[in-house]
Amino acid sequence: MIVGIDGPSGTGKSSTSKAVAAKLGLRYLDTGAQYRAITWWMLHNGIDLTDPAAIAAAAGRPEIVSGTDPAAPAITVDGQDVSAPIRGQEVTSAVSAVSAVPEVRARITALQREIARQAQGGIVVEGRDIGTTVLPDADAKIFLTASEEARAARRSGEQGGRDAQSLAATRQALARRDAADSGRKTSPLAKAGDAIEVDTTELTLEQVIECVVTLIEEKRSR
Ligand SMILES: Nc1ncnc2c1ncn2[C@@H]1O[C@H](COP(=O)(O)OP(=O)(O)O)[C@@H](O)[C@H]1O
Ligand SMILES: Nc1ccn([C@H]2C[C@H](O)[C@@H](COP(=O)(O)OP(=O)(O)O)O2)c(=O)n1
């Protein structure tokens, strides 16, 4: 059972995918963490992120290893645990530019397909282009959406900034990243034709998990 869950930032992909994988006994892969990890490495190694040719030339250098246990997601770059620094502001602001470079996508996509191929019993893979590009033959494809307002409120809440100013700044940064991810040439953020769309704006996380589990079980029983 291969499940692809795509959608923009703050729609609930990570929380839903982890919970669904744990409930159904599947492995779990956060592909956003891989793009964040390669971005962290580029920043750490002084690669000029305004120069796509420099990013492309360095794309093959870092060794990225992802754990697939939904209860303990792990990611290392050249043996170093980067799960905390990849969530920082510096990486978040740079990740869209790095992940738009075709050589970066080719490298990370190959890694993702290999992890999915090796996953015993199946896997939930979450990202932006899983249903369209990485695993077009996935058994179940889900596309999560939510209003920009709801997504910004969720992200802002996570960062502890619930005042109007930080909410507005979060919303602006989120909209900018969505536009970059949807507008890039190579495998942009998009809903696959055969994906099932779930609008999570008015749903609790538990309701979304329940809905996705039901959709997967329907596919499984066919
Ligand atoms: N349906 C929901 N209702 C309210 N909050 C949610 C919902 N789904 C996720 N969240 C919260 O929103 C934040 C972002 O969720 P996350 O799973 O990281 O989204 P994504 O992976 O799509 O960026 C988290 O703090 C999560 O707990
Ligand atoms: N399959 C993917 C996953 C993520 N990316 C890129 C684009 C996203 O802005 C960044 C970060 O993704 P991530 O899922 O960690 O972002 P959020 O936590 O949802 O804000 O990586 C991608 O290009 N393709």
Side-chain angles (χ1 to χ4, degrees):
M1 172 55 64
I2 305 269
V3 181
I5 301 191
D6 292 302
S9 180
T11 50
K13 296 182 302 297
S14 293
S15 341
T16 305
S17 302
K18 268 184 274 191
V20 166
K23 276 195 176 201
L24 300 179
L26 304 173
R27 308 307 294 179
Y28 161 71
L29 178 64
D30 176 355
T31 65
Q34 296 177 310
Y35 286 102
R36 287 173 177 275
I38 198 165
T39 302
W40 174 87
W41 183 92
M42 300 258 170
L43 286 164
H44 204 71
N45 285 275
I47 309 295
D48 178 1
L49 299 190
T50 62
D51 179 3
I55 297 173
R61 290 173 55 200
E63 192 200 0
I64 296 167
V65 178
S66 300
T68 60
D69 177 355
I75 185 145
T76 64
V77 180
D78 296 339
Q80 184 178 341
D81 177 2
V82 292
S83 34
I86 61 167
R87 303 292 160 195
Q89 202 46 58
E90 205 188 1
V91 169
T92 301
S93 330
V95 66
S96 291
V98 173
S99 57
V101 175
E103 287 79 359
V104 169
R105 300 207 72 78
R107 172 111 200 280
I108 303 284
T109 298
L111 204 60
Q112 292 160 355
R113 288 181 179 148
E114 186 54 25
I115 293 169
R117 198 183 63 78
Q118 287 183 7
Q120 299 278 332
I123 189 164
V124 180
V125 182
E126 57 127 327
R128 301 290 189 287
D129 62 338
I130 309 307
T132 56
T133 305
V134 178
L135 302 166
D137 297 328
D139 302 293
K141 297 182 188 177
I142 318 282
F143 194 81
L144 298 183
T145 61
S147 70
E148 193 179 287
E149 194 181 0
R151 298 189 291 115
R154 291 173 189 173
R155 276 274 170 261
S156 193
E158 257 177 354
Q159 293 153 5
R162 292 179 193 275
D163 57 286
Q165 205 178 359
S166 65
L167 184 63
T170 301
R171 184 168 176 165
Q172 202 176 29
L174 194 127
R176 207 178 308 123
R177 191 147 58 91
D178 282 352
D181 295 342
S182 307
R184 69 176 174 235
K185 277 211 181 80
T186 313
S187 65
L189 159 65
K191 177 182 169 296
D194 54 350
I196 298 160
E197 185 167 330
V198 179
D199 183 344
T200 73
T201 309
E202 304 289 341
L203 301 179
T204 65
L205 177 55
E206 286 64 35
Q207 288 172 324
V208 179
I209 294 165
E210 197 51 49
C211 172
V212 172
V213 165
T214 305
L215 290 171
I216 295 171
E217 280 174 342
E218 273 170 14
K219 295 272 180 190
R220 244 182 181 170
S221 62
R222 271 189 208 155

